[in-house]
Amino acid sequence: MSGERRINMLRPVVLICLIAAMLQPAGYAYAVMVGKNLLANNSFENRPGFKDQDPRDWGAWNNAYNGLSTTERRRGQQSVYFLCPKQGESTGVFYTYKKVKPGNKYIFYSYVMNSREEPISGQAFGQLSIEWRKTTKDKDNKDVQVEISRDFGQKFGQNLPCMKWTLASISAIAPQDADNCNFVIQFFNDTNGAGKFFADDVAAEEIDKDIALKDYALGRTGPKNAPSASVSLTAASGSRAGFAGAQLLAADYDSGSKPNNVGGDMGCWNKDPNDKSQGCSMSFTGEGSGRGGKGRVLALDYDVDSPNEAFDGYWMTLQNKDVSAYKKLSLWIRGDTEKGFSKSIKIELKNSSKEQATYTISGITGEWKRFVIPLNAFSELKSYSSMTEFVIRFDDKVNSDKKEGRIYVDDIAFTE
């Protein structure tokens, strides 16, 4: 291929990157870290002693899709690259921090940049997250780590510039029962995704709760009806007064029947009711079978194991509630270890303007886990002043790891 022809082929990609840089969203503003960096090997300069792929002091999963790059780096000699994995899968790196203090605020930063040669496309996206964990004992009285909650940062995809390094960040309050966490950078392929991006110069800092609580309330993430946190700015109203911080509780399922907590209906849907090999059904667990042995929760049995295209799920109406004063969507999920379950599901929100947006949750386990999603991650929604519907969607592409199973859902809420 001649040099002139190669330049002509690259011009559209470079033009897209320049436009993305000019349209860079406000959420990617540069920030200055004020505290001590909690992360080792934060510029990924130290190579490991094994296979020479993953950065020293960091863990990784789906390693075939990530490694160290010497061609693109913000500073120093190298960065981490992420290749788009197979559809419905994710890849990434994580750093485990073992001295989490409940109630303190943690901020995780990473500079990221799109690839010029292989820019992100389709429904693929990169994202920062913080996975909160606690130390408990197994049946042999050995220490094991259990993930209890996960906070997500804003997605970056096709809009990520490839001509400049851009700062992504996430901040969250450590739950009251967390003693360690994973700071995570991941690349997820939702549907028909492709591409590559780079990360470099990462940092995490801790802010004491006495300072953090000036802006954030300490959210409760323990079992249902457990004692609330000792420090709180705003008491929540309704049946979940134990939750600290202002919130709109959409559904706690404790009544074991319709409607939900905002007076809305609920039910299940199926792409093709005539296809008996796919479907979804809902039920409520018995009194006292919920989290912490209290209340009830929603059980969803799904099946997308069909020779035809299959997707189905659960819906509930939100009665045109105005949630524009809130910043996040929170819900608790666990899988049924006997029936099996998929590690990922899709969440959809709809408003009265007939706008709808989808977000993919990954990392579901057999233990209760709270997932906290920033509302601005539902980027297709231009307004949150009149919300009409919340949807859980099972999809034969996203749920390819387990096409038939059961998950439990509890305490769906819009929070600060």
Side-chain angles (χ1 to χ4, degrees):
M1 181 183 295
S2 69
E4 181 178 357
R5 184 179 177 187
R6 176 176 174 83
I7 291 173
N8 288 336
M9 291 180 66
L10 287 175
R11 278 174 181 163
V13 174
V14 173
L15 180 59
I16 292 172
C17 292
L18 287 172
I19 293 173
M22 290 187 289
L23 296 178
Q24 182 175 325
Y28 293 128
Y30 286 81
V32 178
M33 192 179 77
V34 296
K36 175 185 176 182
N37 192 348
L38 306 177
L39 310 180
N41 192 19
N42 61 296
S43 291
F44 306 118
E45 295 303 300
N46 296 330
R47 293 177 179 267
F50 180 69
K51 288 191 176 181
D52 205 26
Q53 288 185 348
D54 301 320
R56 188 181 298 277
D57 299 314
W58 289 69
W61 75 97
N62 222 350
N63 299 55
Y65 298 99
N66 60 63
L68 292 169
S69 170
T70 57
T71 59
E72 297 288 354
R73 66 269 190 190
R74 181 173 176 267
R75 295 185 303 172
Q77 300 300 313
Q78 57 197 25
S79 65
V80 173
Y81 72 82
F82 302 87
L83 296 174
C84 188
K86 298 177 182 178
Q87 186 163 283
E89 294 185 2
S90 66
T91 183
V93 298
F94 60 91
Y95 183 90
T96 302
Y97 179 66
K98 299 180 179 180
K99 298 180 179 179
V100 165
K101 297 177 181 178
N104 282 6
K105 177 181 177 181
Y106 291 83
I107 309 175
F108 179 36
Y109 309 95
S110 176
Y111 283 93
V112 291
M113 185 170 70
N114 211 341
S115 169
R116 289 183 287 271
E117 291 78 16
E118 304 174 65
I120 300 171
S121 63
Q123 298 299 312
F125 60 88
Q127 192 172 42
L128 306 186
S129 66
I130 304 177
E131 300 173 356
W132 304 107
R133 308 193 304 172
K134 67 177 179 180
T135 306
T136 187
K137 299 288 186 181
D138 64 11
K139 62 181 180 180
D140 298 320
N141 203 35
K142 294 181 179 179
D143 285 346
V144 294
Q145 304 301 319
V146 177
E147 185 181 334
I148 54 175
S149 176
R150 189 178 297 198
D151 283 273
F152 295 94
Q154 189 174 16
K155 298 177 184 178
F156 47 87
Q158 298 180 45
N159 60 336
L160 181 66
C162 56
M163 298 296 287
K164 64 182 292 186
W165 288 94
T166 302
L167 188 67
S169 67
I170 175 178
S171 64
I173 302 295
Q176 66 185 31
D177 42 1
D179 56 25
N180 69 100
C181 73
N182 285 331
F183 294 105
V184 182
I185 309 171
Q186 74 166 13
F187 195 8
F188 189 82
N189 182 0
D190 192 341
T191 307
N192 300 322
K196 180 179 183 179
F197 77 90
F198 305 90
D200 202 3
D201 294 331
V202 298
E205 64 177 314
E206 179 182 39
I207 300 175
D208 187 83
K209 62 185 175 183
D210 291 337
I211 299 174
L213 286 172
K214 292 180 180 179
D215 300 312
Y216 290 83
L218 175 60
R220 198 205 90 189
T221 62
K224 258 189 182 178
N225 298 330
S228 61
S230 59
V231 182
S232 170
L233 291 184
T234 308
S237 61
S239 62
R240 282 294 173 276
F243 281 85
Q247 69 160 359
L248 173 65
L249 183 62
D252 64 10
Y253 305 110
D254 279 351
S255 68
S257 63
K258 306 175 184 179
N260 59 21
N261 293 61
V262 295
D265 197 5
M266 64 184 77
C268 287
W269 57 276
N270 183 8
K271 172 186 176 290
D272 183 1
N274 295 319
D275 183 357
K276 302 304 180 183
S277 64
Q278 60 176 290
C280 181
S281 63
M282 57 173 271
S283 60
F284 304 99
T285 62
E287 175 61 37
S289 60
R291 292 186 292 114
K294 305 292 183 180
R296 296 182 173 92
V297 299
L298 175 71
L300 295 176
D301 290 277
Y302 71 91
D303 186 351
V304 291
D305 190 7
S306 170
N308 307 309
E309 182 182 21
F311 50 87
D312 48 52
Y314 162 82
W315 58 267
M316 70 174 185
T317 57
L318 298 174
Q319 304 299 90
N320 298 309
K321 289 293 183 181
D322 182 356
V323 301
S324 55
Y326 303 98
K327 297 179 180 179
K328 301 173 182 178
L329 173 68
S330 168
L331 68 161
W332 289 79
I333 304 174
R334 79 168 177 89
D336 189 306
T337 54
E338 293 184 3
K339 293 182 175 293
F341 57 93
S342 176
K343 296 178 182 178
S344 302
I345 60 171
K346 287 186 176 182
I347 303 294
E348 295 179 359
L349 289 179
K350 302 178 183 180
N351 63 20
S352 60
S353 299
K354 300 188 183 303
E355 298 168 342
Q356 66 181 62
T358 302
Y359 186 93
T360 301
I361 284 177
S362 59
I364 297 171
T365 69
E367 300 290 335
W368 280 111
K369 189 184 302 183
R370 186 187 184 209
F371 293 86
V372 183
I373 309 165
L375 286 181
N376 59 16
F378 297 93
S379 55
E380 292 86 353
L381 299 182
K382 297 181 177 62
S383 172
Y384 300 93
S385 62
S386 182
M387 303 303 296
T388 58
E389 197 170 356
F390 167 94
V391 176
I392 293 176
R393 174 182 170 124
F394 302 99
D395 189 305
D396 59 354
K397 298 180 177 64
V398 172
N399 303 116
S400 58
D401 59 329
K402 182 63 176 175
K403 292 188 176 184
E404 183 178 0
R406 173 185 287 183
I407 66 165
Y408 300 97
V409 182
D410 198 12
D411 290 331
I412 301 171
F414 296 91
T415 70
E416 288 185 334

